[in-house]
Amino acid sequence: MKTKTMKTALGAAAMLLCLAAAGRAKVGLSSQFINVVLENLKPGRSYNLRELKGIPYTVKNRGDGPVEVSLEVIPPDAKELIPPYEAIPDPSWITLTPSRAFLGAGEPAFSDLTINVPDDPKYIGRHFQGVVWARTLNTGLLAAGVKSNVRFSIGKGPETLAEEERQKQMVELNYELWPSALYVLQAKPGKYDVKAEEKKSLKLTNRDEQTLELTVKAVKWTGSKPVGYETPDDMSWAKFEPETVKVDGESLKDIKLLLDVPKELKGKKIAFLVQLALPIGTVVNMSNRVYVQIE
């Protein structure tokens, strides 16, 4: 049985309640079992996290007196749910043994967390999230609790799938963005359409047979600053149209540069880079350059 844990985030989370009264009663719980992510689970199998990774569920009494603690698995609410995971259809898929403990002041408790995947092929390829809720019992107004996320995938996880898709798209890329350097010579403060005024634009050629889709963005210059040019951090005044470019197989697409030059840049020379990225956000090219002279 091979199960890959993509990420196990073990940090401290706590809920502590205090009451200013005689003796300053204090009730609180904490857990280092905050966010566990598993993938490659299979229908009809059970997975004990302590056996797989040596990680038991842990909760600690942070109060100054003994408490009874209940461990319960519940579906995440809308704010807790982390896309593309869906709420666990049945909380009984996740069990904690033991699910109740009596803890003295400062004492921890450990439970085995087991994920039981139903033997049904309809769950293959899906991603689920459950919440472990540890809470004090019979402490009245001083009740405390702490929640931990458990996410798992029946098959490959979202991060693995996204990386495979990124690699696939990278392999399939076969394009050219031309020219490598675009010179804008007569820009003025305010709105300026480079193609309309100077008959210049970028051209994206797709040499592959499949449709190419990339996003185009003006970004700050990196590396050695070009002589005589400024390289401002804010390039929001330079836009490309379209910002998301779809090019059919073995064809070419024209990309316009539209400027809305701030008044304070009057008389200056500005240089920036053109960033090409996949729709999923992966940057594939930042080698094309734009030089703008502002009258």
Side-chain angles (χ1 to χ4, degrees):
M1 174 173 61
K2 182 179 179 182
T3 303
K4 177 182 176 184
T5 302
M6 292 175 56
K7 177 173 62 177
T8 304
L10 298 176
M15 181 174 181
L16 197 64
L17 301 177
C18 300
L19 180 64
R24 294 187 61 83
K26 183 172 69 174
V27 176
L29 295 176
S30 68
S31 177
Q32 291 185 321
F33 189 99
I34 305 307
N35 191 23
V36 173
V37 183
L38 300 172
E39 66 172 352
N40 291 328
L41 276 59
K42 295 179 173 56
R45 303 283 290 273
S46 294
Y47 299 86
N48 183 300
L49 198 58
R50 191 201 292 257
E51 294 176 357
L52 287 173
K53 299 296 173 183
I55 304 172
Y57 174 82
T58 308
V59 63
K60 187 173 183 179
N61 179 9
R62 291 292 185 180
D64 54 11
V67 292
E68 182 180 6
V69 177
S70 171
L71 305 179
E72 181 182 0
V73 178
I74 59 176
D77 60 29
K79 293 181 180 179
E80 295 168 329
L81 191 62
I82 303 172
Y85 291 87
E86 54 186 292
I88 191 170
D90 185 346
S92 68
W93 286 17
I94 300 176
T95 58
L96 289 132
T97 308
S99 61
R100 190 167 293 194
F102 289 90
L103 303 179
E107 185 179 3
F110 305 94
S111 292
D112 280 7
L113 185 147
T114 303
I115 300 173
N116 306 285
V117 183
D119 190 8
D120 193 327
K122 72 180 181 182
Y123 297 120
I124 295 174
R126 293 168 66 181
H127 318 289
F128 299 102
Q129 179 180 343
V131 175
V132 178
W133 182 29
R135 59 190 176 93
T136 58
L137 299 176
N138 305 316
T139 52
L141 294 176
L142 291 177
V146 62
K147 290 182 176 180
S148 304
N149 283 314
V150 178
R151 289 178 284 160
F152 58 94
S153 299
I154 316 304
K156 295 178 181 179
E159 292 184 24
T160 297
L161 293 170
E163 176 60 20
E164 288 182 352
E165 180 63 20
R166 186 187 75 84
Q167 292 293 340
K168 178 182 176 183
Q169 292 190 44
M170 290 289 286
V171 169
E172 292 177 349
L173 292 179
N174 186 8
Y175 69 90
E176 179 184 12
L177 183 64
W178 186 87
S180 58
L182 178 66
Y183 291 87
V184 180
L185 304 177
Q186 299 174 344
K188 301 175 180 61
K191 296 186 182 300
Y192 190 80
D193 184 331
V194 175
K195 184 172 183 179
E197 299 295 335
E198 301 188 27
K199 312 301 181 186
K200 297 176 181 179
S201 63
L202 293 174
K203 293 174 174 56
L204 182 62
T205 302
N206 178 16
R207 298 193 183 94
D208 197 86
E209 295 180 354
Q210 302 298 318
T211 299
L212 172 69
E213 183 174 359
L214 295 172
T215 61
V216 192
K217 183 179 180 181
V219 296
K220 175 181 169 59
W221 187 284
T222 58
S224 301
K225 185 182 296 187
V227 178
Y229 285 82
E230 297 184 31
T231 56
D233 293 334
D234 181 15
M235 289 307 310
S236 61
W237 52 272
K239 304 286 187 182
F240 292 99
E241 186 181 272
E243 293 181 341
T244 299
V245 187
K246 290 185 178 181
V247 188
D248 293 334
E250 300 178 338
S251 61
L252 178 147
K253 188 86 170 186
D254 202 55
I255 304 172
K256 295 170 58 176
L257 174 58
L258 303 176
L259 305 178
D260 190 358
V261 182
K263 293 180 180 179
E264 57 267 26
L265 295 182
K266 182 177 180 179
K268 295 186 177 182
K269 298 167 73 176
I270 303 298
F272 60 90
L273 299 177
V274 181
Q275 174 185 285
L276 294 179
L278 298 174
I280 60 175
T282 303
V283 176
V284 298
N285 195 311
M286 280 180 49
S287 61
N288 292 75
R289 307 170 304 283
V290 178
Y291 301 91
V292 181
Q293 296 186 32
I294 304 167
E295 296 181 347

